[in-house]
Structure formats: C-alpha cells, structure tokens
Amino acid sequence: MNPMDQLRAARPAHLDDAPVDARTRAAELSAAMAGPAPRRAAGRTRRARDGRPAWVLGGLAAAAAATAVAVAVAGTGGSAPAPSLALPAPSTSTGGPVVRLSAEQVLLAAAESSLKAPATTGAYWYVESQGGSAYEAGDAVRYIVHSTSRDRTWTARSPRGTSWWVSQDLGTRPAPGAEEAWKRDGSPARWTVEMPVPKKGDRPASKRLELDSEPGRPFGNPINVGDKVADLAGRNVSVAELQALPTTADALKRRLLQGYAGHGTESGDKMDADSWLYQVTSGLLSDMPVKPAVRAAAYKVLAGLGGVRSLGEVTDALGREGQGIARAESWSGGDFERQIIIDPATGVLLTDQIVAVHPGGAYAWAEPGTATWWHAITKAGWTDDKPVKPDHYDTPGRPSAS
C-alpha cells in the first residue's frame, strides 16, 4: 500500500464524505433584496484538531513552497483578471514529491493562484451551480433521499441592469446505497419529509416538505432592488461595492466584521467571530463578482482563522477532486463540519458543504459522515450572454414555491 493509500485508510470515515439547499439559499437572497438583510442559519463553532494529510503536489510544488514562506504576506492590490466562465478540472498530478500541507498552506496556494486567472469581462457575472440536501424518508423502512436542483444567476454589472436568479428542481432520488431500502419501501416516487428549520420559542424545529422524483420546470425572478444585488455580511450591496472591497486580508477582515453582531447571518443563534467569518468569506468566494485580488485576500482571511484544518484530497458531490478545508460547527441539532473543496492550482472554490459529525435533534437520523447539504459551483465568470428567463416567475423578493 502506497503512502497515500495508507493515509486514506487511516482517516475517519466521516471525513471522506463531502450541509439549506442552493434553491432555498437563492430564494432567501431574493427575499432579502426586498427587505431587511436576512440571518443565515448557522451555529456555534467547536475547535477541531488540525490534521495534515499528505498531498501529491506535482505542478503545485512551486506554489506550495512559495506560500510556505509567505504566510504573513498580505493580499496584493491591483486589477488582476477575473476567473474564466467555465471552471477547469481540478489539478491533481501524481508526479513529484509527496509533502504534507496544512490548511494554511493550501489556502495560501489558492490565494496565489487566484491572482493568475485569465482576464475576462462582460455585462453579467454568471454563476451556475448544483445544490442538494439529504433527508430521511420512507414508510415501511427508513432511508436517505437526495433532493437536488440546478441554479443560475446573472448579476448585472450596470446598476441599471436587471439581475436574475433561475432555478430548476432536478428531482429527488434515493441516496447512493439506499436503493434496496427504497425498493423495500415500495419504490415510491414521492416522499413527505421533515425539513429542519431554526427553532423559535414553541415553534417546532422542522416542517413538512413534499418531495417528488420528477424534475420541475425552471422558475425564478429578478433579485436586485435598485443597485443592490447581493447580501454580504448582513448588508445588501451593489456590484460596485463588491468590486471596491479591500484587497488585503487585514482590511477585508475588518470590512466583513462590520456586519458581525455575535450571531449567525440568518439566525439569532450565538456565533463566534471566526465561525462567522468562515461562513461569510466562503460565500464571497463561491458566488460573488469580486476582483481576483479580493479573492486572494479572502483565502488569506480563511487561512488566518482558528480551528481550520485540512482534509487532504476529497471528492465533491459531482465527482470532482479537490483539497478539502473544514471547520467544526455546533448547532442545536448537534455537531457538524462545514467544508469547502477548492482547487489550489486555479484558486477555484468548487463546493461548499456540511457534513454530520455527531448529529442530533432534527438530524438524529444522519450517520456520522452524512453530507446533509452541498452547493457545487460548475460555472462562474463574466459574460455578455443575457439572462435566460424562465416561463414563470414572481416579483422581486417573492420567489416561486414550485
């Protein structure tokens, strides 16, 4: 058994799996644009031990060596090019020496790579993603199903343009490994499940949700109100404000912390500053039209947080390989791990996901290692292509429930 195989075999099983779904997330963003900034569901953080698995570097050896000696270097300014529209396949070479990289080194390598992306421009910042959520279902026998969706967002560069969010329910299926249990349950095509929601007072911590195996038709709506197009750190912002974000880690951290109030961005649950920054900064990296120098600064903000650890090479929900970075979170529903999967060679954030570690409450059904939610980016960049509007849509702030 080679060293990489030995390391993979020795890792706890729950760390090899890669958790609000993308459709709900976009709907809440749309609602936010029509009123006060929302509070993102999140939890309090538990510090995790920093594991440092081996990584076969290959072409990343030079970048890793550079970042290892540049840990304290702040992000560079300037107008470096934006990421290309189509995301490249993660770089996972099998050549070169095997070295151990910490989470800090992986993130700093991604920061350096972010500054080298090819120049692009366009009228819209376009993001295409696939999201999913896991639920426990079944009448005769219990098993896990995955509900997935495809989301597309066109964010207009001009404050006079209209920004659009369009989503399509891709249907619900038994999770891998749950097919036999599904058959014993009568191979249903529809399910009624319990969806966890933040608990308030006497209100239950879950609500019933109807799921269907058949894909739905696309729906969506404009998401901008005036020039405001996104929610960043609890505040509605414009593309111009996103483009003007600080390009050094210290300055960006100070700017983001202006929205910190001691609780989550979508709930009143207490949350420490590092947990809050980890969540907000990850969202900035996955979805928002910021300059490459800002992306580099964001990776450096993540690298400076406590409790952030490396998972080594992992595979996301779409089968793409990347380097996993994780931070523990404790909610009323138990202990979880928030993971991001990145390609350090390109600086691309591939997937943001949540994995159950010691779940309880509405998530008591989840075995350790169950991915309860994921948001995988498949395309991101500037384009001149106009939004593809759905056949039916609601007014801003009122996303369709279909």
Side-chain angles (χ1 to χ4, degrees):
M1 184 180 291
N2 65 41
M4 283 300 291
D5 289 335
Q6 289 176 326
L7 282 165
R8 290 192 181 100
R11 289 168 62 204
H14 75 273
L15 297 183
D16 287 323
D17 291 322
V20 191
D21 56 35
R23 172 175 169 177
T24 301
R25 178 178 178 177
E28 290 175 348
L29 169 61
S30 179
M33 293 296 97
R39 305 293 185 189
R40 180 175 300 173
R44 296 177 292 276
T45 293
R46 298 173 69 245
R47 188 172 298 269
R49 209 178 325 176
D50 184 21
R52 302 189 180 200
W55 181 18
V56 181
L57 281 184
L60 284 179
T67 55
V69 297
V71 169
V73 177
T76 58
S79 54
S84 59
L85 185 61
L87 297 188
S91 299
T92 53
S93 170
T94 56
V98 176
V99 300
R100 293 182 181 272
L101 290 183
S102 66
E104 184 177 52
Q105 289 171 317
V106 172
L107 291 164
L108 291 174
E112 292 299 315
S113 298
S114 295
L115 296 172
K116 302 174 184 178
T120 62
T121 187
Y124 298 90
W125 175 256
Y126 176 73
V127 177
E128 186 171 322
S129 64
Q130 291 188 30
S133 293
Y135 302 98
E136 186 184 41
D139 296 324
V141 61
R142 303 296 281 174
Y143 52 94
I144 298 174
V145 296
H146 287 169
S147 179
T148 59
S149 65
R150 175 183 181 233
D151 294 86
R152 307 168 75 188
T153 304
W154 291 261
T155 302
R157 182 190 292 270
S158 169
R160 296 183 297 275
T162 301
S163 300
W164 275 84
W165 163 71
V166 176
S167 182
Q168 182 181 13
D169 183 353
L170 299 180
T172 299
R173 297 287 187 276
E179 292 86 357
E180 288 302 319
W182 169 67
K183 291 177 182 178
R184 293 200 304 272
D185 192 38
S187 304
R190 295 180 178 84
W191 300 265
T192 299
V193 300
E194 295 292 322
M195 182 178 72
V197 296
K199 183 176 178 58
K200 291 184 177 180
D202 296 330
R203 191 181 74 179
S206 64
K207 65 179 181 180
R208 297 174 73 83
L209 181 67
E210 301 295 327
L211 301 177
D212 197 309
S213 61
E214 289 297 319
R217 55 177 178 162
F219 71 98
N221 50 256
I223 60 172
N224 55 300
V225 172
D227 66 341
K228 308 303 182 185
V229 296
D231 173 21
L232 177 65
R235 176 170 170 260
N236 292 338
V237 293
S238 65
V239 170
E241 289 173 301
L242 290 170
Q243 289 283 295
L245 285 172
T247 56
T248 65
D250 287 344
L252 180 61
K253 181 177 180 179
R254 288 194 299 270
R255 164 63 180 83
L256 296 177
L257 282 173
Q258 290 176 6
Y260 177 61
H263 53 71
T265 58
E266 291 176 3
S267 77
D269 290 346
K270 292 181 180 179
M271 178 179 279
D272 64 75
D274 276 7
S275 297
W276 189 88
L277 276 170
Y278 184 81
Q279 188 176 92
V280 169
T281 306
S282 297
L284 181 153
L285 284 164
S286 68
D287 293 324
M288 299 193 182
V290 298
K291 294 177 179 179
V294 176
R295 294 179 61 84
Y299 277 121
K300 291 176 181 179
V301 169
L302 291 177
L305 299 180
V308 179
R309 68 189 193 93
S310 173
L311 301 177
E313 186 178 284
V314 296
T315 302
D316 74 358
L318 304 185
R320 302 174 299 178
E321 292 182 343
Q323 292 296 310
I325 302 297
R327 199 169 191 281
E329 296 187 357
S330 287
W331 308 343
S332 57
D335 298 335
F336 296 82
E337 193 165 61
R338 185 108 186 200
Q339 302 177 353
I340 57 174
I341 301 176
I342 61 177
D343 179 12
T346 61
V348 169
L349 192 153
L350 301 171
T351 296
D352 182 9
Q353 59 196 13
I354 297 178
V355 170
V357 177
H358 298 294
Y363 288 102
W365 54 266
E367 294 290 334
T370 300
T372 60
W373 171 87
W374 58 93
H375 177 61
I377 306 299
T378 55
K379 291 183 180 180
W382 291 104
T383 180
D384 286 323
D385 294 342
K386 294 183 179 180
V388 179
K389 299 177 183 179
D391 293 334
H392 63 296
Y393 57 89
D394 283 347
T395 55
R398 297 185 61 187
S400 170
S402 61

